[in-house]
Each structure stands twice: as structure tokens, then as C-alpha cells.
Amino acid sequence: MSKLKTFSVGGIHPDKHKITSACPIEDAGIPETVFVPVKQHIGAPAKILVQKGDRVKTGTLIADADGIVSADVHSPVSGEVIKIEEQTGETGYLETMITIKTEGDEWEESIDRTPDLVSDISASPEEIVNIIRSAGIVGMGGAGYPTPVKISVPAGKKIDCIILNGIECEPWLTADDRLMQEKGEQIIIGAKILNKALGIQKAVIAIDENKPQAIETLHQLTRRYVGVNIAVCRTKYPQGAERQLIAAVTGREVPPGCLPVDVGCLVQNVGTVHAIYEAVQKHKPLFERIVTVSGDDLENPGNFRVRIGTPASYLIDKAKPLGTPGKIIFGGPMMGVAATNLAAPVTKTTSGILLLKEDSVNIFEPTACIRCGRCAESCPQGLEPFAIAGFVRRGEYQSAKKIHVLDCMECGCCSYICPAKIPLTDYCKLAKYEIRKKK
Amino acid sequence: MSEIITANIIVLSLIALAAAVVLYFAAQKFKVENNPLAEKIAALLPQANCGACGKAGCKDFAEACVKADAESFAHLYCPAGGSKVMTAVAKELGFSTPEHEPTVAVLHCNGTCENAPDKVEYVGLQSCRLANRAFVGKTGCPNGCLRLGDCVANCPFGAIEMDKKTGLPKVNPDKCTSCGACVRICPRGLYEIRPRGENGVMLYVACSNRQKGAVARKNCKAACIACMKCAKICPEITVENNLSRIPASVSPQTWGAELAAACPTGAIVYTGNKGKENEQA
């Protein structure tokens, strides 16, 4: 095999823990009530279209995008809207949610529920963007940036490279891995749809080498599709980050303050591309996703197809924890959010729910910095976290800005590698928050 | 030998002379006009450069004092120095001393370890501003004190201390200069600069909760539940967004004991009644 691709600056190798890689995607079923937040994306919250007492079908539009950077929200179940009020989300803060009581599972008639593969793309490029917008699709890798905005290329710029992000570099998570193994062909057609929408011929699916099954499956499939290739990357965290992935696959560097489109690249998560396939070819809006429920001490960890709005506690019951978990994380262990409320629902961006044992969550007292420089070595953005932490301790946020703390993407490499266990990522986050507040 | 020494002395003297001439003209050109009076006043100020007066620092404040006339001088006040410093400044400038009520910072939260027990653990950088972004707080109250002590670390006068027993920061009214650093740093806006009152007797609502009463009570026993009892007793009190606010104009001496006794959750703090305060704290 030729030399594997990867990004050159920084990166770490955390333990993989991909124990659910061989677990087929299971249907999680439909809970009795779902809680659908109106803001599951970056941008303005969606405007609520339903009222208490309204009856909705699965796939009915219940909240409309408010502005360009926003996304539609569709009902994930059929039933009755029983409450529209603020409820606690995973961080404990209040979020506006639409509560729907489930009755049966009646889908909108327009949705094609057959399992047949539709490979002919009949929609025109403009239609594709409109369908993606009305299906409420957002980046499903974690950030939740509305996809139609991302694929509407600004005038004067040109995209020549579409990268499908199947890296999934976070430990434990296997949702994208399983999706590539089971729905490989759908993802490839999704890539073709993106090609058509942007008027270019090629797409690259980037996969970490630690997913041999997915690589094999897609390798077989891409032989039949001209223009879709696979780029196998050497496993390293955070390869799934947009900038690092572009550097790994194309060798192009996205300058600070610029977007991938400035270097002619578009990166889409494979989950998002699968959702695009379902929206364009099957007329199915985004109301369910694959969630990995994993952790140590679980009887039934696995990958579940989950309706948006399903409470986390419902999924945790499915996974059957053997003991009391010490820490529950929404997302991956490196960048995810520690949950304080288990009634919080799965959203469009929840890629996993992790239940870690109390004794596997290491809590360290930070000690003094020994100036070893490992944080700077591991930073994929080439920053100096130890220096940033020093400035933040003294409250010199403008000095921290001068050494480019705003380019930090909070991947957590520095905190992970620090032998003194200093929460360096936290310092960077605080600096970014303070600088943005002062503007 | 003596020739070399003489030559050296002459050459060096000439260089020194040339440098002196250059320096003289440079000093004339870049001369900074300093008002001796402003310097005198700056010497009277605490030199904490805390910015509480609204100026860039003590020097800036001193210059503003010098430029001020009798009317605008009345608006200038150094909270860190207090009336003692202002009397000295006024004497220096020949103005009358402006009247200024002494103020102090108060924390509008009574979510002590006992009233609002911890529900979750927090691991990471011990900073309220960061924790406020990451999650709702250990107690579950989205408006209450996070108890991580950003105000303690940022008080320029060391007037705030973490009370180990309650878990809440405690303002020392004797050290507090009402500079407002805590008001600016607190991510939840829990601090307010209030008149210190006669003999330090104060009356305020120690809660900032804006959730409905039943929800707030789940997290904290001392939450204001907007029951309106205080508003019925004293018409000046307003209740908005599920939260009662006692304006500083409500006299603690007249209303304090009655309001504190009437409050069903103990959210109203009346520092005149020492027994009552200890019970809450």
C-alpha cells in the first residue's frame, strides 16, 4: 500500500475503544414522547409552526427556518403536540422544545419508505439545494452548520474538491463507520448528488485506516461509480476536523480566518451525505440519525437508528448499563459535552452517547507546568497552549489573541497530552470567550 | 603620554557637549506638559488604577479633577478612596466636598451548599466564566452562583472571600470599595453595587432566579418564587420575571424585619436582624 495520507502538524493517538464497530445498526424504536428542540444547528432558532393540540405525521414540518443561517425542523413521530415550552437540555440550560406524544407511526405520504435504491438523479442543481434546505439538513458531524449554506458557493469562488468525511477520529464512536458499512452505496449516490449540485465530477471519501470493513465495502462499490474515490488516511486525532482533513487529503492549507471554500474544498460528513441522499431521492426530511451508545460496563452497546427528540434515558435503557455510570457524555470523549440531564433529547448533531464508569474517568489535580512543550507539539493548529494559559491566568486576553488563540478549535489534544494535567483547552476556551465578549 | 590623555579629554568633552545640545533640543521638542496640581492630586488618590471612577486610571482621574469646575466636580467620585480621599482632593482644589452615600457590592444569590446542594461534579478549569458556558452549574440553577470564585480572584482589593461553609463568596464591606470589578466579571450578573445603608443595615433579595417558582425550588430552597407577599407588604417592591426586586429606596429600618419574616423561602436578606442573617447564611 502506498504511503497513507495524514496532516503534518500535531495530533495525538488516544485509545480507540471502537467496540461497537461490528454491531449492526438497530432500530431504537419510538419512545412515548419526543422532545424536539427548535435550535439544533448553528444560527437562528427555527420559528414554530404548530400549536398545542395539533396533530402531526412523521416528517411534517413543525418549525420553519428563520433566516438564511437556520434550518427547518420536522416531526420525528406521528401524534399530538402536547407542549411547547422551555425544557432543560443536556447542559442543564433551558431550550425551547416541542413535545409530541406518539400515536402509531404514520408517515407523510410523499416519503418513499421502500428500501429500494434510487440511483438516477433527476433533480436539477437548483432543485437539489432547495430540497436539502426544506429537508432541514445540517452538518451531522457535530457542529450543525446548515448544509444549504455550505453548498451555496459565494460568487467568485469555485469548489473543485468534495471530501466526504468518514474519518470519525473520536474514540468510541462508530456511527459513521457502521453507516459506511451498511449504506455505502447510498453515500456514494449522495456524493454524486453533491457533484451535480456543484457541477464538478469528483468526490473523495476519506476514511481512517482503522475501519477496514468500511474501506473494503466502499472499495468494492466505488469500482462501479466513476469519479468517487477513497482516500485512506493514517489514524490520528483530530483528522476529522475540517482543516486537518483538507490538509491530509489535498495537501492544501486553509489560512486562518478563511473557510475551506477559499481553497476550493467542501467537506461533508458521511452522515450528512446519507441524509442528502434520503432527502433528494426518497423525499425524506432529516428526522432520524445513527447514534452510537457505548461505554465500558454496558450489556448491549451498539449503533441505533434514533428519531430526533428521543430522550437520552430511553437509549441508555436500550444499552442496559450494568452499574451506575460515573460520567455521561453527549458526543465523543474529546469534544463532547458532559450531560447533566438525562431527559435531554438526541438532536441532529448527537453522534453518540457515552457512559463511562466512575473509575475510568480520571480526575487529576493539575500541577505546575514543566515547560516540556508537548502541548505545542500536539496542537494540530500549531498554537502554543502553555503560553496561552499563562496569558489567561494573568488576564491578558489581547496578548493571547496575538498568539492566535482564536484559531483554536478546542480539539482537546493539549489537555490530553499534558503530563502536568493542566486543563489547557479550558484556558483556550476561556480566552476565546473573553476576546469575543469584548468585541 | 600626556598628549594622548589631553586629546582623549578634549575629544570626549566635545562628544559630551554635542550630545548635550542634541538632548536639550530633543527635550524641548518632546516635552510633556505636566500639571503640577494634577500630580499633587494623583498622589492623594489610592493609585489602585481600578477604573471604578470611570476614568482610565488614577492619573486620568486627577486630570479630570483639575479640569472640572464646581458643578462637574460634584459628579467625580473615587469609590476606592471614598469620602476621605474626596475631601482631601476637594480641599486641594478649593471646592466643597461632594456628598456621596457609601456603597458596597452585594451578591444576589443565596444558593449555599445547604440551600442548593450539588447535583453534579465539575472537573476542569475552576472558572465561573468558562463553567457558565459549559453547563448550568453544579446546583442546577441557571441563574445562581457557580461557586468557582472568579470574583474572589479578580477583586483588586481582596474584599471577597470564599466562605468554606456556605460555598458562596462573601463580601467584606469594610474592604469593599464598590469598584465594580465583581459586577463586570460575574458571568451571571449576580453582583450589584448598593448603598451601604445606615450602620451597614441592608435589605435586598438574595436571588436572581428567573424560572417559575416550582422549577426554581427544585434546585434551591432559598429561591425567590415570586409569591408577591413582599410586594403586598411594601408597594415599592416590584416583581418581574418571577423575581422580586427591593429598590434601594425601601428603608431597611422600616420594612426590613417585616419583609424578612414574611418571605416564605428566606430569599430576602435583612442584615439588621443579626440572628436572622446567621440562620440564612
Side-chain angles (χ1 to χ4, degrees):
Chain A
M1 206 175 237
S2 62
K3 202 170 161 247
L4 294 174
K5 295 177 173 198
T6 191
F7 57 100
S8 56
V9 182
I12 53 168
H13 297 93
D15 294 341
K16 302 290 168 299
H17 296 292
K18 303 265 189 191
I19 53 169
T20 49
S21 173
C23 303
I25 297 169
E26 260 178 77
D27 218 322
I30 305 168
E32 279 173 25
T33 38
V34 292
F35 307 92
V36 189
V38 292
K39 189 177 187 299
Q40 304 180 30
H41 47 265
I42 289 177
K47 275 187 300 216
I48 298 168
L49 298 176
V50 288
Q51 282 175 346
K52 191 180 160 184
D54 281 3
R55 306 199 70 79
V56 290
K57 288 181 188 170
T58 307
T60 310
L61 184 69
I62 52 173
D64 193 14
D66 191 8
I68 292 176
V69 184
S70 185
D72 289 354
V73 178
H74 299 81
S75 172
V77 294
S78 64
E80 188 188 341
V81 177
I82 53 169
K83 244 194 283 182
I84 299 174
E85 60 178 40
E86 293 197 319
Q87 302 198 37
T88 33
E90 74 257 24
T91 56
Y93 282 115
L94 293 176
E95 293 166 33
T96 309
M97 295 190 200
I98 301 169
T99 311
I100 303 168
K101 193 166 184 296
T102 314
E103 283 161 30
D105 189 21
E106 192 191 336
W107 289 33
E108 286 281 344
E109 287 81 15
S110 55
I111 303 168
D112 177 3
R113 291 186 72 176
T114 56
D116 312 336
L117 191 79
V118 187
S119 49
D120 294 325
I121 306 159
S122 53
S124 71
E126 294 77 36
E127 277 169 5
I128 290 171
V129 177
N130 285 334
I131 292 169
I132 291 173
R133 179 170 292 126
S134 58
I137 295 176
V138 302
M140 286 160 82
Y145 192 73
T147 305
V149 187
K150 214 167 160 180
I151 60 172
S152 313
V153 184
K157 289 183 179 153
K158 200 176 169 324
I159 286 175
D160 58 14
C161 180
I162 296 178
I163 303 169
L164 269 56
N165 185 348
I167 296 285
E168 204 162 50
C169 54
E170 282 261 10
W172 297 97
L173 303 184
T174 55
D176 290 350
D177 184 5
R178 272 322 294 186
L179 196 66
M180 287 188 287
Q181 288 178 41
E182 293 180 29
K183 307 274 180 189
E185 199 149 10
Q186 282 87 333
I187 291 170
I188 291 169
I189 296 166
K192 288 273 165 207
I193 295 169
L194 278 178
N195 276 355
K196 191 171 177 187
L198 293 162
I200 55 176
Q201 303 301 323
K202 276 187 187 167
V204 182
I205 306 177
I207 314 177
D208 256 4
E209 60 169 332
N210 64 357
K211 299 177 184 60
Q213 284 292 322
I215 294 169
E216 184 53 36
T217 316
L218 287 174
H219 200 68
Q220 297 294 335
L221 289 168
T222 45
R223 284 183 189 164
R224 290 195 270 124
Y225 290 87
V226 182
V228 181
N229 293 313
I230 295 182
V232 181
C233 299
R234 198 166 73 221
T235 309
K236 188 154 88 168
Y237 178 86
Q239 192 133 248
E242 205 167 46
R243 282 150 198 262
Q244 277 59 35
L245 187 59
I246 291 170
V249 174
T250 66
R252 298 174 199 177
E253 192 130 331
V254 185
C258 293
L259 292 170
V261 68
D262 295 316
V263 294
C265 289
L266 173 77
V267 180
Q268 287 291 354
N269 178 270
V270 288
T272 319
V273 177
H274 181 253
I276 290 172
Y277 162 81
E278 290 198 319
V280 178
Q281 306 292 73
K282 298 274 192 180
H283 315 291
K284 184 182 154 194
L286 177 58
F287 59 75
E288 58 183 12
R289 67 159 295 144
I290 315 298
V291 178
T292 303
V293 185
S294 189
D296 34 22
D297 220 15
L298 290 183
E299 196 188 312
N300 181 31
N303 302 294
F304 297 94
R305 182 179 294 105
V306 183
R307 299 286 170 94
I308 304 294
T310 302
S313 50
Y314 177 87
L315 284 178
I316 293 168
D317 287 345
K318 287 252 163 207
K320 301 193 185 89
L322 296 170
T324 316
K327 189 171 191 176
I328 295 169
I329 303 169
F330 272 53
M334 298 299 290
M335 289 187 74
V337 183
T340 61
N341 171 28
L342 296 186
V346 165
T347 67
K348 290 174 184 174
T349 53
T350 312
S351 44
I353 295 173
L354 293 187
L355 298 107
L356 302 177
K357 267 197 298 192
E358 187 127 29
D359 40 338
S360 58
V361 183
N362 294 326
I363 297 171
F364 297 100
E365 253 328 285
T367 53
C369 173
I370 55 168
R371 320 297 284 178
C372 64
R374 283 214 220 157
C375 51
E377 246 169 53
S378 73
C379 180
Q381 296 284 71
L383 306 179
E384 295 176 327
F386 66 91
I388 292 167
F391 284 134
V392 173
R393 271 194 215 112
R394 299 194 292 275
E396 295 169 20
Y397 301 108
Q398 288 310 312
S399 309
K401 193 182 171 186
K402 273 187 201 147
I403 55 169
H404 305 285
V405 66
L406 290 181
D407 289 337
C408 168
M409 56 171 175
E410 303 168 14
C411 63
C413 288
C414 47
S415 292
Y416 176 87
I417 209 90
C418 180
K421 303 295 168 205
I422 300 169
L424 292 161
T425 314
D426 287 357
Y427 281 108
C428 295
K429 280 184 190 174
L430 181 57
K432 284 169 76 177
Y433 166 50
E434 286 293 307
I435 292 164
R436 293 199 174 130
K437 193 177 76 179
K438 292 226 164 84
K439 253 179 201 171
Chain B
M1 190 68 183
S2 65
E3 278 163 28
I4 297 170
I5 292 169
T6 324
N8 268 341
I9 289 170
I10 292 167
V11 168
L12 286 174
S13 306
L14 284 173
I15 291 171
L17 196 71
V21 170
V22 170
L23 281 174
Y24 173 77
F25 284 107
Q28 289 298 312
K29 186 158 171 59
F30 299 110
K31 194 176 177 187
V32 179
E33 284 293 338
N34 263 343
N35 190 334
L37 192 59
E39 270 173 20
K40 221 171 181 179
I41 288 166
L44 293 170
L45 296 172
Q47 293 300 337
N49 291 320
C50 61
C53 53
K55 302 282 178 247
C58 289
K59 194 168 176 244
D60 200 25
F61 181 76
E63 273 162 17
C65 285
V66 173
K67 277 182 205 147
D69 52 24
E71 198 191 332
S72 58
F73 183 74
H75 298 294
L76 291 167
Y77 182 71
C78 169
S83 54
K84 209 172 135 196
V85 165
M86 286 316 289
T87 315
V89 172
K91 204 175 148 199
E92 194 70 45
L93 292 167
F95 295 129
S96 61
T97 319
E99 288 275 319
H100 211 283
E101 205 177 357
T103 52
V104 72
V106 292
L107 180 74
H108 284 293
C109 178
N110 201 9
T112 58
C113 298
E114 202 183 307
N115 287 334
D118 285 0
K119 291 195 178 64
V120 291
E121 255 179 89
Y122 172 72
V123 185
L125 186 61
Q126 300 293 304
S127 161
C128 306
R129 287 163 296 163
L130 185 70
N132 182 43
R133 302 267 288 182
F135 78 129
V136 72
K138 290 182 278 191
T139 63
C141 175
N143 306 109
C145 179
L146 290 152
R147 303 193 202 140
L148 295 169
D150 270 7
C151 50
V152 177
N154 283 283
C155 178
F157 301 96
I160 309 178
E161 264 175 34
M162 221 53 180
D163 190 328
K164 289 249 164 59
K165 209 174 110 216
T166 62
L168 289 176
K170 201 170 180 188
V171 181
N172 182 343
D174 296 327
K175 284 188 185 171
C176 177
T177 63
S178 342
C179 70
C182 48
V183 179
R184 288 189 293 272
I185 206 87
C186 181
R188 293 190 165 173
L190 297 180
Y191 279 101
E192 188 201 5
I193 305 290
R194 273 178 91 94
R196 205 172 152 180
E198 248 172 81
N199 306 322
V201 177
M202 296 180 73
L203 177 70
Y204 59 94
V205 180
C207 185
S208 298
N209 156 66
R210 285 180 287 281
Q211 290 176 305
K212 279 184 185 158
V215 185
R217 283 283 278 180
K218 270 184 203 160
N219 295 322
C220 180
K221 278 189 268 178
C224 171
I225 52 169
C227 65
M228 310 293 287
K229 273 189 183 159
C230 50
K232 274 174 201 149
I233 293 169
C234 174
E236 273 185 75
I237 295 174
T238 50
V239 178
E240 259 175 23
N241 294 332
N242 302 316
L243 180 63
S244 159
R245 269 278 172 260
I246 301 181
S249 56
V250 175
S251 158
Q253 278 79 2
T254 322
W255 299 99
E258 196 185 346
L259 287 172
C263 182
T265 63
I268 294 178
V269 169
Y270 170 52
T271 57
N273 188 342
K274 284 294 168 200
K276 184 81 186 166
E277 188 208 13
N278 290 341
E279 193 184 81
Q280 278 167 350

